[in-house]
């Protein structure tokens, strides 16, 4: 038996960050539209693909630097940097798959950005008067189809054992496509309903400990 190629695919908001920074940015910079549209996205009468686009494209580009400043202050879950070191030492790639904006992820991570193997999500064009949203990963009702990212990344380097980390409904399809899953919050509930097993976590200290014990064993 040869080497097993493991790779970690992680959500960003509420998973790497301790809070939902993307929703907070939308509520801050598009307060009226957020009040109207966010409840519709939660009750599923409006898709994330349409709702997030309507919200972001209602914001003037001149606010973009303030938006970046606002996400820069988002705290990360404990143990994140140590988990990256742990994976680096073992040659295991760590890929971020966000349903939000890649530039917001980069701003939040700061120098840690250089230590992840990829950041996939939607992008903002700030050249016009209003922000314009682009995503290479749109599919069905999703702005960023995480299974589509997973499939694409797996073509660029070999992955025998993909590991998913997430916290919410937008991570469900990615989690179902991975044999090993770390879940918390709503994602854990959805997996319970489907009888799928997963490792529960609160932070990256938990994840590193379980990874060492169960996944590298
Ligand atoms: Mg999340």
């Amino acid at each position: 038996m040869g080497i097993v190629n493991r790779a970690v695919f992680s959500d960003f908001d509420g998973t790497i960050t301790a809070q939902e920074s993307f929703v907070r940015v939308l509520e801050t910079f598009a307060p009226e539209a957020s009040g109207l549209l966010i409840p519709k996205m939660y009750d599923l009468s409006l898709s994330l693909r349409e709702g997030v686009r309507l919200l972001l494209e209602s914001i003037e580009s001149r606010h973009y630097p303030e938006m970046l400043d606002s996400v820069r202050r988002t705290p990360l879950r404990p143990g994140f940097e140590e988990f990256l070191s742990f994976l680096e030492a073992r040659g295991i790639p760590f890929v971020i798959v966000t349903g939000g904006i890649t530039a917001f992820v980069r701003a939040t991570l700061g120098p840690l950005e250089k230590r992840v193997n990829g950041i996939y999500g939607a992008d903002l064009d700030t050249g016009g008067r209003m922000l314009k949203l682009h995503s290479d990963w749109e599919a069905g009702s999703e702005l960023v189809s995480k299974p589509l990212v997973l499939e694409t990344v797996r073509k660029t380097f070999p992955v025998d054992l993909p590991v998913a980390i997430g916290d919410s409904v937008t991570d469900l399809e990615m989690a179902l496509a991975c044999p090993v899953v770390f879940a918390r919050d709503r994602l854990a509930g959805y997996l319970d309903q489907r009888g799928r097993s997963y490792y529960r976590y609160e932070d990256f200290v938990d994840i590193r400990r379980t990874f060492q014990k169960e996944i590298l064993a």
Side-chain angles (χ1 to χ4, degrees), residues 201-214:
Y201 73 92
E202 264 316 305
D203 57 35
F204 286 90
V205 180
D206 300 337
I207 295 176
R208 192 181 69 220
R209 208 173 282 144
T210 308
F211 212 97
Q212 173 80 45
K213 216 167 59 185
E214 309 282 345

Side-chain angles (χ1 to χ4, degrees), residues 51-213:
V52 171
R53 167 162 278 122
L54 284 168
L55 284 173
L56 282 166
E57 296 190 348
S58 77
I59 301 171
E60 291 182 40
S61 299
R62 65 187 172 91
H63 292 300
Y64 184 66
E66 296 165 66
M67 295 167 89
L68 289 179
D69 277 345
S70 142
V71 296
R72 257 178 214 122
R73 294 190 296 270
T74 312
L76 305 186
R77 260 174 220 285
F80 179 63
E81 190 170 353
E82 293 80 358
F83 184 57
L84 291 182
S85 302
F86 170 88
L87 294 179
E88 270 163 20
R90 291 157 183 81
I92 301 170
F94 183 89
V95 175
I96 296 174
V97 192
T98 178
I101 306 300
T102 57
F104 292 175
V105 173
R106 291 178 208 285
T108 312
L109 289 181
L112 290 178
E113 178 201 331
K114 290 198 274 307
R115 301 183 51 195
V116 307
N117 300 76
I119 300 173
Y120 295 86
D123 292 295
L124 285 175
D125 176 350
T126 61
R129 192 173 75 85
M130 309 301 280
L131 293 177
K132 183 118 186 67
L133 186 65
H134 293 283
S135 170
D136 291 333
W137 312 103
E138 288 189 59
S141 62
E142 304 218 70
L143 178 64
V144 177
S145 163
K146 297 192 179 191
L148 183 60
V149 173
L150 188 73
E151 216 176 277
T152 306
V153 171
R154 290 185 80 164
K155 286 179 192 149
T156 67
F157 56 83
V159 182
D160 312 311
L161 185 65
V163 175
I165 309 176
D167 77 315
S168 192
V169 63
T170 54
D171 305 315
L172 180 58
E173 294 303 320
M174 177 170 80
L176 294 175
C178 291
V180 178
V181 179
F182 289 89
R184 56 177 294 280
D185 204 24
R186 275 164 296 171
L187 178 61
Y190 292 118
L191 292 171
D192 285 336
Q193 285 168 15
R194 282 161 182 78
R196 272 291 305 263
S197 64
Y198 59 90
Y199 299 106
R200 197 175 280 275
Y201 73 92
E202 264 316 305
D203 57 35
F204 286 90
V205 180
D206 300 337
I207 295 176
R208 192 181 69 220
R209 208 173 282 144
T210 308
F211 212 97
Q212 173 80 45
K213 216 167 59 185

